[in-house]
């Protein structure tokens, strides 16, 4: 009797493992929550493969492409290695590792490359060309709070336009994502190291400051110190997902 029970348990466990391993990618894709970026839905379709290693098609506005994922544990933290590619060649690409540990999120070695025009089209009477390349070495979110942030943000340089006739050639710009104490911070500088823009998330608010060095770079300001703040904004910021 004990031997029969043991064989039955082994059979049941083996069957469950087989069913889990054989679960198609569609089961996972169907459970991905709806995501909206810049007012447009990011949709997934045509899943293929298994839940632990699969592919799907994605679409966002006029862009579309493929998404590949592979289950990848980092120590005791489960996660997935992602690769998102655009059908338009080098237009937009994203790769990196995303993991979750009891509700806390981690991102490692994430790389994003996209044309600035995709962002500039949401700025009224504004435009820009060139590319942005971002590398997020580490991001850790716990209890809806950013606890670790390290990365870089580089602009290739190009022409920026605004209004009816405004236009200027902008050199390469460098950005740095880091933690200043407990505060996640972004600083963007010109090739000489002059600060142009700085932003931070502090006490539940997003703060943005633009230095005079930025309009000086565009040739639309004269006099004053490059470190003067010519524009600032503060608004509520939360990583919690809204209900409904």
């Amino acid at each position: 009797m004990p031997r029969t029970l043991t064989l039955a348990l082994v059979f049941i466990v083996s069957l469950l493992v087989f069913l889990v391993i054989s679960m198609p990618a569609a089961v996972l894709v169907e459970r991905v929550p709806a995501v909206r970026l810049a007012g447009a839905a990011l949709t997934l379709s045509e899943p293929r493969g298994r839940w632990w290693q699969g592919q799907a098609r994605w679409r966002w506005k006029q862009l579309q492409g493929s998404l590949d994922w592979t289950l990848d544990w980092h120590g005791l933290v489960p996660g997935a290695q992602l690769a998102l590619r655009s059908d338009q060649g080098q237009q937009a690409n994203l790769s990196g590792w995303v993991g979750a540990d009891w509700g806390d999120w981690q991102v490692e070695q994430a790389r994003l490359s996209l044309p600035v025009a995709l962002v500039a089209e949401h700025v009224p009477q504004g435009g820009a060309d060139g590319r942005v390349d971002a590398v997020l070495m580490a991001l850790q979110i716990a209890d809806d709070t950013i606890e670790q942030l390290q990365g870089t943000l580089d602009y290739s340089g190009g022409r920026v336009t605004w209004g009816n006739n405004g236009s200027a050639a902008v050199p390469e710009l460098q950005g740095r994502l880091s933690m200043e104490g407990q505060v996640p911070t972004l600083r963007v500088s010109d090739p000489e190291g002059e600060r142009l823009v700085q932003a931070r998330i502090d006490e539940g608010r997003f703060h943005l400051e633009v230095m005079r060095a930025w309009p000086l770079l565009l040739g639309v300001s004269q006099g004053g110190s490059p470190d003067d703040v010519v524009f600032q904004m503060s608004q509520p910021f939360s990583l919690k997902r809204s209900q409904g």
Side-chain angles (χ1 to χ4, degrees):
M1 184 66 178
R3 185 171 182 274
T4 302
L5 180 59
T6 300
L7 291 176
L9 291 175
V10 170
F11 172 77
I12 293 174
V13 171
S14 300
L15 179 60
L16 291 175
V17 171
F18 174 77
L19 292 176
V20 170
I21 293 178
S22 302
M23 190 178 299
V27 176
L28 179 64
V29 170
E30 290 172 356
R31 284 162 175 75
V32 174
V35 177
R36 296 187 67 84
L37 300 175
L42 174 65
T43 61
L44 297 177
S45 62
E46 302 179 29
R48 303 180 302 278
R50 303 301 179 189
W51 68 270
W52 49 272
Q53 185 176 34
Q55 305 84 36
R57 298 287 300 169
W58 64 268
R59 177 182 291 274
W60 181 73
K61 292 191 173 183
Q62 76 275 22
L63 294 178
Q64 60 180 340
S66 61
L67 170 66
D68 298 347
W69 70 87
T70 302
L71 180 65
D72 184 11
W73 289 70
H74 281 197
L76 298 177
V77 180
Q81 189 69 34
L82 306 177
L84 184 148
R85 300 178 181 85
S86 169
D87 287 344
Q88 290 78 13
Q90 295 298 315
Q91 189 163 17
N93 296 289
L94 171 66
S95 64
W97 180 86
V98 179
D101 183 15
W102 296 102
D104 298 342
W105 290 91
Q106 299 180 30
V107 179
E108 296 179 7
Q109 296 300 320
R111 298 177 182 272
L112 171 67
S113 178
L114 78 164
V116 180
L118 289 179
V119 180
E121 68 181 14
H122 300 289
V123 179
Q125 294 185 322
D129 56 21
R131 296 189 66 83
V132 168
D133 293 293
V135 179
L136 191 59
M137 277 82 80
L139 170 65
Q140 184 172 351
I141 300 174
D143 297 326
D144 301 314
T145 301
I146 297 176
E147 294 191 343
Q148 183 181 7
L149 178 65
Q150 181 183 4
T152 59
L153 186 68
D154 297 315
Y155 172 53
S156 65
R159 182 157 294 275
V160 176
T161 61
W162 63 92
N164 294 325
N165 301 310
S167 176
V170 177
E172 295 181 2
L173 306 178
Q174 296 83 39
R176 181 171 178 266
L177 294 160
S178 63
M179 298 293 294
E180 293 189 356
Q182 302 297 317
V183 178
T185 303
L186 166 66
R187 290 189 176 182
V188 180
S189 307
D190 65 12
E192 283 71 42
E194 195 73 59
R195 285 184 305 165
L196 306 175
V197 178
Q198 60 184 22
R200 69 185 188 279
I201 300 172
D202 190 14
E203 296 182 350
R205 298 189 69 86
F206 172 78
H207 303 274
L208 173 69
E209 295 179 338
V210 179
M211 310 306 186
R212 188 179 299 278
W214 176 238
L216 284 172
L217 186 67
L218 298 178
V220 296
S221 178
Q222 296 181 354
S225 171
D227 291 330
D228 291 342
V229 177
V230 296
F231 173 80
Q232 58 185 353
M233 177 189 70
S234 178
Q235 63 182 32
F237 179 89
S238 176
L239 294 172
K240 294 181 180 179
R241 292 188 57 192
S242 59
Q243 301 297 322

